[in-house]
Amino acid sequence: AQSVTQPDIHITVSEGASLELRCNYSYGATPYLFWYVQSPGQGLQLLLKYFSGDTLVQGIKGFEAEFKRSQSSFNLRKPSVHWSDAAEYFCAVGLPGGYQKVTFGTGTKLQVIP
Amino acid sequence: ETGVTQSPTHLIKTRGQQVTLRCSSQSGHNTVSWYQQALGQGPQFIFQYYREEENGRGNFPPRFSGLQFPNYSSELNVNALELDDSALYLCASSLKAGGTAYNEQFFGPGTRLTVL
């Protein structure tokens, strides 16, 4: 069965500093890969996705992610964090075909300090 | 274009009761998925409805059931509520079209269910 691991439960960064959130997945083939953000009281918003092709993916709000097949990783990065980026971030995988079930990691809560 | 909406926003029930949660899909979408998000966890897939039929289910017992209506809105019903059913329930809609490799899911804000 597919699984997603986000090893960092909570991360604190200073405003303006760079950010990297880690994600590892377990699946026999390359699944579809996603990063979502969830602010308090809000639903999930898709930041970016990877299906195939260029392994560096650009998303919204200045985020990017890099797919590394050899490491089964899909880490999320941002060069300069803004206070409004404080939220919970979820990595997710989707299986191609079928009913396209999405499996989420347990999330990383990002705190941004002045 | 209206996004995904869910009602109610919050709900408190007691153990053993039954609950119905509602979801209105984004305009033009024909598929609805439901997820359960317990506190401190990522969302877990409950099931998906496509054209009024369940076409995929996660590891949830039969007391979790659903419906999709001709206008593609959906309900999630949970019978015999247990304390562990306390969670945020998220609905996501998407447009499943032939030949599409993957259909992006758009999430609603969720319904917070508390079981006492």
Side-chain angles (χ1 to χ4, degrees):
Chain A
Q2 67 208 78
S3 66
V4 182
T5 302
Q6 294 181 248
D8 303 305
I9 297 171
H10 190 261
I11 281 185
T12 300
V13 299
S14 300
E15 191 168 14
S18 64
L19 171 71
E20 182 168 28
L21 302 182
R22 296 182 290 165
C23 172
N24 292 93
Y25 67 89
S26 172
Y27 183 59
T30 300
Y32 300 137
L33 297 162
F34 309 89
W35 275 99
Y36 287 87
V37 61
Q38 186 177 39
S39 298
Q42 307 271 327
L44 294 162
Q45 182 182 22
L46 182 66
L47 286 174
L48 47 77
K49 58 184 183 281
Y50 174 79
F51 289 177
S52 64
D54 192 346
T55 57
L56 187 61
V57 180
Q58 301 298 320
I60 62 171
K61 304 186 180 188
F63 286 93
E64 67 177 26
E66 186 173 12
F67 168 60
K68 292 186 177 179
R69 186 190 306 274
S70 61
Q71 299 176 19
S72 297
S73 69
F74 189 57
N75 293 349
L76 181 71
R77 300 194 294 247
K78 187 169 185 178
S80 177
V81 169
H82 188 262
W83 65 266
S84 61
D85 293 324
E88 190 148 23
Y89 292 79
F90 292 94
C91 181
V93 302
L95 291 176
Y99 57 86
Q100 300 177 345
K101 167 187 170 182
V102 177
T103 299
F104 288 84
T106 51
T108 297
K109 186 167 264 188
L110 173 65
Q111 182 181 10
V112 180
I113 57 176
Chain B
E1 183 178 273
T2 307
V4 179
T5 60
Q6 293 185 243
S7 63
T9 306
H10 295 88
L11 201 53
I12 299 175
K13 291 285 189 177
T14 56
R15 195 170 45 182
Q17 284 189 312
Q18 178 265 340
V19 69
T20 298
L21 310 182
R22 295 179 175 83
C23 171
S24 291
S25 304
Q26 184 164 311
S27 176
H29 286 181
N30 57 15
T31 303
V32 173
S33 302
W34 285 92
Y35 293 82
Q36 180 195 66
Q37 185 178 14
L39 202 60
Q41 300 294 318
Q44 289 201 330
F45 177 77
I46 303 175
F47 44 55
Q48 183 179 88
Y49 278 81
Y50 170 60
R51 291 186 175 177
E52 302 179 55
E53 293 204 359
E54 183 182 301
N55 77 326
R57 190 177 185 94
N59 189 26
F60 280 82
R63 58 189 186 84
F64 286 77
S65 63
L67 282 173
Q68 187 182 31
F69 300 100
N71 66 355
Y72 303 125
S73 65
S74 177
E75 287 182 355
L76 164 65
N77 298 291
V78 187
N79 293 323
L81 284 167
E82 301 176 0
L83 298 179
D84 285 349
D85 295 333
S86 294
L88 180 69
Y89 288 86
L90 295 164
C91 162
S93 75
S94 58
L95 173 62
K96 182 178 287 190
T100 306
Y102 190 85
N103 313 114
E104 181 177 340
Q105 298 187 16
F106 294 82
F107 284 81
T111 293
R112 173 74 61 188
L113 172 65
T114 302
V115 182
L116 302 175

